[in-house]
Amino acid sequence: MSRSKIDLFYKLLFTMVLYCCIAILYLYRPFFFLFDIIKLRKLLSSDKKKILFIENQTSAQAGGYYRVEIVRERLEKDGFYTVLDCCFSDEQFKKLKKGENTFGYLTLMIVKKTLSIFKAYFFDLVIVRRELLHACNYGGLLFEKTLHKANSKVILDMDDYMPDLRRNEKEDAALIYNRINFFNLNKTNDSFSVYQYYTLALPTFYPPIYLENPAIHPNNVYIFPMCVDYEKHLKKYDNTGHLKKVGWVSQKNHFPRLNQIVPALNTAFKTLPFTLTVIADDEYKNDNLLAPVENIMWTRESELNEMLRLDVGIAPIFAERSALERKGTFKLLQYMSVGLVSLSTAFNYTEDLIKDGKNGYLAYSIEDWGEKLSKILKLDDAQMSEVGNLAYTTFYTRHHIDRQYEPLRSFYTKVIND
């Protein structure tokens, strides 16, 4: 069977499954009173409070893992019962990102999200990470509304401001097939009218959400910054006789960020040669780059050890100013968490985190990238260690899970008891 016929088959299958799920959910909503009468919840009752996490990606992805798994581990130790619902296995997610069998996996996503909504009834709290469904406003937010009918204690957790991310999908929104299936770039904004509880990675997310839903009570919003839990894995600087490794940890869809600073990297390379280490899900190539490239395939298990091999961690990020005001950079935090000297684009979040030249470095322009990186490459081991140690101290004080878990658990408990 030809590829085009296979694609058509999966498109038709996806559409059929989609509308079946919508019909099931539409019929399902009025019957929650029946569940209350027969008290099915009591059949699954236990002394433990139950929390369901609904994830869009896989638990192996860095964002999902450090936003959910380290929290779940702490919750389990504190006597909670937690379940993580992921749409895809690691292999399925990799194939989806490569564009393989897209509609087959979208069908799987719809089915699994529908099952998660049914399951939500039996939990004391539900955490939706980023969005319930990917930019699709099916039946006027039917999935979101049905989830809230199943369980009124639902928290929307955002580590990135999703409406900003969706702006990059204008071409997808224009496709006829996506129009048929309710692809809507404003879907996340619209869903803010449904959610009443939020955990946000940055306080700058709150004002635009409040504009969409003024009924949100400030006590129902908790700022939970991105956290990691690395312990006693600090970089030891000893580069005598070796080229320094300038490293970048990200994914291939962010390669354009790296391309933008290639002229600056070349400027720094002419000052003092270095190796560019790219830890990502694909191989990075740029014929204009002077520095040799070391490509390392990213895995969550190997990420820590690969970062410890670096000498400098870079975090280039470019966007319109309004988006940068609502942007964090998790990779910068990871560099700081292992005591790496880091160089990041300067914007609201990084300027709040980094004191330029003290616990890291900030670049205010493309030209500044070259000058700052050249300066860093000239530092000796003692100077690099001093900056790295200060970076770790800043990280631990503000972003270590040890500092953030207890207030987060208190917020979860508050929502459960509301």
Side-chain angles (χ1 to χ4, degrees):
M1 187 180 293
S2 67
R3 178 63 184 269
S4 61
K5 289 183 178 179
I6 292 175
D7 286 345
L8 178 61
F9 170 78
Y10 277 120
K11 286 183 178 182
L12 292 173
L13 177 63
F14 172 66
T15 303
M16 289 173 61
V17 171
L18 163 65
Y19 287 111
C20 284
C21 287
I22 289 177
I24 290 170
L25 289 177
Y26 184 79
L27 294 171
Y28 171 63
R29 289 177 69 192
F31 289 100
F32 280 109
F33 75 93
L34 181 62
F35 293 148
D36 285 325
I37 292 172
I38 61 180
K39 298 189 183 304
L40 288 180
R41 188 194 298 262
K42 195 169 183 179
L43 295 176
L44 299 178
S45 66
S46 71
D47 293 335
K48 294 183 176 181
K49 295 294 184 182
K50 297 179 285 295
I51 302 179
L52 172 65
F53 291 85
I54 302 179
E55 173 64 73
N56 275 298
Q57 301 180 349
T58 74
S59 61
Q61 293 295 305
Y65 180 82
Y66 293 111
R67 196 73 181 165
V68 175
E69 287 293 357
I70 61 173
V71 173
R72 287 184 62 213
E73 182 180 338
R74 303 276 177 129
L75 289 168
E76 294 275 357
K77 288 180 179 178
D78 280 348
F80 289 83
Y81 173 73
T82 70
V83 172
L84 173 62
D85 274 5
C86 292
C87 290
F88 312 107
S89 68
D90 297 342
E91 284 302 313
Q92 289 170 335
F93 191 69
K94 288 177 184 177
K95 290 180 179 179
L96 179 62
K97 291 183 72 175
K98 291 180 180 178
E100 299 178 19
N101 193 11
T102 303
F103 291 97
Y105 292 133
L106 288 175
T107 304
L108 180 64
M109 179 192 74
I110 292 295
V111 171
K112 286 198 171 183
K113 287 298 175 71
T114 303
L115 292 175
S116 293
I117 291 173
F118 276 88
K119 189 188 299 183
Y121 181 83
F122 301 102
F123 286 79
D124 299 288
L125 180 65
V126 179
I127 315 293
V128 175
R129 200 174 85 84
R130 291 194 168 193
E131 55 188 344
L132 184 61
L133 288 175
H134 177 80
C136 292
N137 186 0
Y138 299 132
L141 299 174
L142 177 64
F143 281 73
E144 285 79 6
K145 291 176 180 177
T146 307
L147 174 62
H148 283 77
K149 191 76 173 178
N151 193 320
S152 62
K153 307 300 177 62
V154 182
I155 296 174
L156 180 62
D157 174 69
M158 287 197 294
D159 56 330
D160 280 313
Y161 189 70
M162 298 310 296
D164 287 341
L165 295 183
R166 292 289 163 257
R167 290 175 190 168
N168 299 321
E169 300 178 351
K170 291 181 180 178
E171 292 183 4
D172 292 340
L175 296 175
I176 293 177
Y177 184 76
N178 282 344
R179 290 181 183 179
I180 293 173
N181 286 305
F182 305 100
F183 192 95
N184 186 342
L185 296 181
N186 295 318
K187 182 257 183 177
T188 305
N189 306 59
D190 294 341
S191 73
F192 294 155
S193 65
V194 179
Y195 291 93
Q196 295 299 316
Y197 300 98
Y198 297 83
T199 47
L200 310 175
L202 295 174
T204 49
F205 292 2
Y206 177 69
I209 289 175
Y210 179 76
L211 286 175
E212 298 290 341
N213 183 6
I216 300 171
H217 194 285
N219 290 341
N220 292 345
V221 179
Y222 178 72
I223 306 303
F224 172 48
M226 290 298 293
C227 295
V228 292
D229 60 347
Y230 302 146
E231 287 297 342
K232 299 178 182 177
H233 289 98
L234 296 184
K235 170 70 179 180
K236 295 180 181 178
Y237 281 99
D238 183 11
N239 288 304
T240 306
H242 299 285
L243 289 180
K244 286 183 177 176
K245 289 182 178 290
V246 175
W248 184 66
V249 184
S250 196
Q251 47 191 328
K252 66 178 181 179
N253 58 304
H254 293 318
F255 282 172
R257 297 180 182 179
L258 203 52
N259 291 336
Q260 285 183 286
I261 63 167
V262 163
L265 294 175
N266 289 341
T267 297
F269 184 79
K270 292 174 184 177
T271 302
L272 196 66
F274 61 87
T275 298
L276 178 66
T277 300
V278 178
I279 305 169
D281 54 351
D282 204 354
E283 198 171 276
Y284 176 75
K285 295 179 181 178
N286 189 309
D287 294 337
N288 296 320
L289 180 65
L290 298 178
V293 178
E294 177 189 26
N295 280 298
I296 305 292
M297 291 303 294
W298 180 91
T299 66
R300 187 183 60 76
E301 293 76 16
S302 65
E303 179 183 60
L304 173 59
N305 288 333
E306 295 298 345
M307 283 197 296
L308 289 170
R309 294 175 57 244
L310 306 178
D311 298 296
V312 184
I314 58 174
I317 181 169
F318 304 93
E320 61 189 56
R321 190 66 204 181
S322 61
L324 284 177
E325 290 173 358
R326 292 189 290 267
K327 186 67 180 172
T329 168
F330 181 50
K331 297 309 175 187
L332 172 60
L333 287 177
Q334 288 186 290
Y335 302 148
M336 297 174 73
S337 72
V338 294
L340 274 181
V341 176
S342 59
L343 173 59
S344 171
T345 303
F347 56 92
N348 299 51
Y349 176 73
T350 58
E351 288 175 327
D352 187 47
L353 197 62
I354 296 291
K355 290 181 173 57
D356 191 25
K358 300 294 184 182
N359 61 345
Y361 292 83
L362 297 175
Y364 293 85
S365 65
I366 295 294
E367 294 74 20
D368 202 26
W369 265 93
E371 294 175 8
K372 290 290 176 65
L373 184 55
S374 297
K375 183 176 181 179
I376 294 170
L377 293 171
K378 293 176 182 178
L379 299 177
D380 60 31
D381 290 340
Q383 292 170 315
M384 297 283 279
S385 295
E386 182 180 357
V387 175
N389 289 335
L390 289 173
Y392 177 78
T393 300
T394 302
F395 154 77
Y396 186 86
T397 302
R398 300 178 55 168
H399 287 275
H400 197 286
I401 189 63
D402 285 350
R403 296 298 183 95
Q404 296 294 340
Y405 169 69
E406 290 297 336
L408 178 67
R409 185 190 64 173
S410 296
F411 180 72
Y412 284 175
T413 303
K414 168 203 171 307
V415 176
I416 292 173
N417 293 331
D418 270 357

